[in-house]
């Protein structure tokens, strides 16, 4: 066995065990020059620009664009290039910010649309450019690209290039979009910068502190530019504000919250969140994700213990824990940090994973220094530019990966298999011990298969034996992957290689106990996917 095969063996065993620990030294490169993207040279006052799309309901898509002059808010669309069988009309609006007056902002909702389908669209057939987008799938698998604190720099450009190559279905952007900071023409520049991606896949966005844009004595209405330019489907989710909303896609329910408006128990946002969580049927929608801007957990000195983080967590954390939220994405701190499942500052099995992605490419400095010694709740941290990818493969499991911008190359430096809490019998009081065995069997086996199938090998055969054994007092999972036989075709030599990749025997012990309506478990040797 050569070194490459041996490395794959070690990596595979570690990932399947769920105990990957990455130890490396990485110094984030310095900030790069800011970008200002001007209109195309051949653009005229009626040319559509800053085109972006977002989901609306189960089968709708909002198309947004800006022109300098009044033009009809009409979108022509169809499933064949140049053949637009359908059309829809919408609204035109504008806003003022001190001495700045925006262009004409067009919003049109089209649909109903088919899932996993490419649509072509334009705004005036024959005289405007044709755009296209692909709708997300109806069911698993689905891939999310995740970014935050994007800004407009050469690093932003690098991040966008890497995202465009990831074959993602939908992007989640958790605030600090343009870094205009009240310089309104920079919002126009940002719209032009992201148009090549945002016009082809839905971008679902939230707000950060750089999107507030209050100027004392001059402009005191927060989020004016954001609300005018980036309208999200808040009404469809029963929200009264564009600043917080939810949506469902491919059996994943995603909640976008605002860290910079009221969030205490008596607030409108909290009451809406409470109502929205109650509506989620986890048997039909097994994945539940929450997006905020200010992270609730942070092991860096920058933005540590800020009120928006501390008090929002104290207000809402119990609610998220009770409803078994799977993941909480955040930004704000200009780093990447992944936490273990954590609740009330302690590692807790059935709590959400907290992941901070605050470095899409902004112009600001580092996220500060590590707080040492590191807390046990922090599993991985790295001060780098980049983006994340969440590949939800089924109702039971997903794969998370972090891709840093390493000298303009996208390098995966962190990854993790994640089990949905809705399908984890130890976190779901409605599961019986009998069904627990079946679910654990299926989840673990699917995870093994998913990992191996995602590799580049030609043929794969798996023979799992002796998967489970039940004792009288404790649910013990004795899993033995007896043999994995792989046949890989080497194109250079034209030979078939049969590699005995690995033999893994993982012994697990889990306790099913109910004490004060909480789950607890004991572990032996190794963990399952989190």
């Amino acid at each position: 066995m050569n070194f490459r095969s041996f490395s794959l063996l070690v990596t595979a065993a570690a990932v399947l065990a769920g105990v990957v620990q990455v130890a490396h030294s990485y110094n984030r490169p310095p900030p790069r020059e800011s970008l200002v993207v001007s209109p195309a040279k051949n653009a005229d006052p009626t040319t559509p620009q800053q085109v972006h799309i977002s989901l609306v309901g189960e089968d709708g898509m909002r198309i947004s664009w800006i022109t300098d002059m009044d033009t009809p808010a009409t979108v022509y669309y169809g499933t064949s290039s140049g053949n637009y069988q359908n059309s829809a009309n919408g609204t035109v609006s504008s806003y003022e910010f001190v001495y700045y007056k925006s262009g004409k902002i067009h919003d049109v909702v089209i649909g109903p649309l088919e899932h996993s389908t490419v649509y072509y669209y334009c705004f005036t057939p024959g005289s405007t450019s044709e755009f296209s987008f692909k709708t997300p799938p109806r069911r698993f698998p689905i891939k999310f690209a995740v970014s935050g604190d994007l800004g407009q720099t050469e690093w932003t450009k690098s991040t966008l290039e890497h995202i465009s190559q990831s074959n993602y279905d939908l992007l989640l952007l958790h605030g600090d979009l343009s870094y205009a900071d009240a310089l309104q023409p920079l919002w126009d520049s940002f719209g032009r910068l992201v148009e090549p991606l945002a016009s082809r896949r839905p971008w679902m966005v939230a707000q950060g502190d750089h999107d507030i844009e209050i100027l004392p004595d001059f402009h005191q209405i927060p989020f004016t530019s954001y609300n005018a330019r980036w309208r999200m489907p808040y009404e469809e989710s029963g929200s009264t504000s564009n600043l917080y909303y939810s949506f469902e896609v491919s059996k994943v329910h995603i909640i976008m919250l605002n860290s910079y408006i009221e969030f205490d128990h008596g607030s409108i946002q909290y009451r809406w969140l409470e109502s929205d969580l109650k509506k989620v049927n986890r048997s039909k929608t097994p994945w539940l994700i929450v997006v905020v801007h200010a992270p609730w957990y942070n092991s860096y000195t920058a933005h540590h213990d800020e009120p928006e983080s501390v008090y929002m967590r104290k207000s809402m954390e119990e609610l998220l824990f009770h409803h078994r939220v799977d993941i909480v994405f955040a930004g704000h701190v200009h780093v990447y940090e992944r936490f273990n499942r954590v609740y009330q500052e302690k590692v807790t099995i059935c709590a959400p994973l907290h992941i901070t992605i605050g470095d899409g490419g902004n112009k600001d400095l580092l996220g500060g220094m590590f707080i040492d010694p590191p807390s046990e709740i922090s599993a991985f941290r790295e001060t780098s530019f980049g983006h994340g990818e969440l590949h939800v493969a089924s109702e039971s499991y997903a794969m998370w990966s972090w891709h840093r911008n390493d000298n303009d190359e996208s390098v995966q430096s962190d990854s993790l298999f994640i089990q949905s809490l809705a399908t984890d019998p130890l976190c779901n009081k409605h599961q019986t011990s009998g069904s627990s065995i079946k679910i654990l069997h299926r989840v673990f086996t699917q995870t093994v298969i998913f990992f191996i199938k995602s590799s580049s090998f030609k043929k794969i055969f798996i023979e799992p034996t002796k998967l489970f054994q039940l004792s009288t007092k404790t649910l013990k999972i004795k899993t033995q992957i007896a043999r994995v036989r792989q046949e890989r075709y080497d194109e250079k030599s034209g030979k078939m290689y049969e590699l005995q990749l690995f033999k893994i025997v993982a012994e697990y012990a889990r306790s099913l106990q109910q004490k004060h309506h909480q789950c607890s478990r004991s572990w032996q040797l190794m963990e399952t996917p989190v």
Side-chain angles (χ1 to χ4, degrees), residues 151-374:
Q152 303 179 65
T153 70
E154 290 290 344
W155 281 119
T156 308
K157 185 178 178 181
S158 179
T159 298
L160 293 176
E161 289 174 353
H162 298 156
I163 291 175
S164 69
Q165 298 167 8
S166 67
N167 193 31
Y168 72 104
D169 296 298
L170 181 149
L171 182 134
L172 299 176
L173 179 56
H174 40 260
D176 283 359
L177 279 65
S178 69
Y179 276 76
D181 293 325
L183 298 177
Q184 296 304 299
L186 290 181
W187 277 103
D188 295 311
S189 172
F190 178 78
R192 301 182 192 110
L193 175 64
V194 303
E195 179 185 280
L197 277 73
S199 63
R200 298 176 61 85
R201 294 291 187 274
W203 278 36
M204 310 304 290
V205 302
Q207 322 78 37
D209 52 311
H210 286 271
D211 304 317
I212 299 174
E213 297 187 311
I214 290 180
L215 297 177
D217 301 327
F218 292 97
H219 189 93
Q220 299 188 26
I221 301 176
F223 303 107
T224 298
S225 310
Y226 171 89
N227 280 330
R229 295 171 180 269
W230 292 84
R231 183 174 178 181
M232 293 291 111
Y234 69 94
E235 295 168 320
E236 287 76 8
S237 63
S239 171
T240 59
S241 171
N242 191 49
L243 302 178
Y244 53 90
Y245 63 97
S246 69
F247 63 97
E248 285 192 7
V249 56
S250 305
K251 297 186 177 182
V252 181
H253 189 87
I254 300 175
I255 299 174
M256 314 289 275
L257 298 176
N258 189 302
S259 301
Y260 300 97
I261 61 175
E262 292 185 356
F263 44 66
D264 59 83
H265 286 190
S267 67
I268 298 175
Q269 181 176 204
Y270 181 92
R271 294 199 301 269
W272 170 83
L273 172 62
E274 189 175 35
S275 174
D276 189 74
L277 287 169
K278 290 179 180 179
K279 296 176 183 177
V280 181
N281 185 342
R282 297 299 291 275
S283 63
K284 296 181 179 179
T285 311
W287 288 92
L288 183 53
I289 297 172
V290 170
V291 176
V292 298
H293 184 68
W296 294 0
Y297 292 97
N298 174 21
S299 72
Y300 283 79
T301 57
H303 300 301
H304 191 73
D305 285 344
E306 286 186 341
E308 294 84 3
S309 299
V310 174
Y311 294 119
M312 190 177 195
R313 179 177 65 81
K314 289 183 177 180
S315 174
M316 295 180 170
E317 186 176 33
E318 183 177 356
L319 190 59
L320 270 56
F321 177 73
H322 175 74
H323 286 276
R324 296 293 187 253
V325 169
D326 293 293
I327 305 172
V328 177
F329 286 119
H332 194 45
V333 183
H334 298 161
V335 300
Y336 168 71
E337 183 168 20
R338 173 174 58 81
F339 292 85
N340 293 304
R341 294 196 178 278
V342 57
Y343 174 60
Q344 293 184 350
E345 304 183 71
K346 296 180 180 179
V347 175
T348 306
I349 295 301
C350 299
L353 278 169
H354 287 257
I355 300 177
T356 298
I357 301 178
D359 225 346
N362 63 83
K363 66 182 185 297
D364 292 340
L365 300 176
L366 307 176
M369 303 299 293
F370 294 144
I371 296 176
D372 287 321

Side-chain angles (χ1 to χ4, degrees), residues 451-502:
F451 170 75
I452 298 178
K453 282 188 175 181
S454 65
S455 71
S456 60
F457 288 96
K458 202 75 174 179
K459 295 181 180 179
I460 297 166
F461 304 91
I462 303 177
E463 298 178 7
T465 62
K466 204 174 182 180
L467 287 177
F468 291 92
Q469 180 179 358
L470 183 63
S471 68
T472 55
K473 295 184 178 180
T474 308
L475 177 64
K476 291 183 178 179
I477 308 171
K478 191 168 184 180
T479 305
Q480 182 178 17
I481 306 301
R483 183 164 63 95
V484 176
R485 176 174 176 266
Q486 302 199 7
E487 296 182 356
R488 180 166 62 93
Y489 181 72
D490 189 327
E491 295 180 355
K492 293 182 179 180
S493 63
K495 296 180 179 179
M496 294 295 294
Y497 292 93
E498 293 191 3
L499 303 177
Q500 296 296 328
L501 181 60
F502 57 84

Side-chain angles (χ1 to χ4, degrees), residues 77-79 83-87:
Y77 65 101
T79 55
N83 184 12
Y84 312 115
Q85 300 175 340
N86 305 286
S87 65

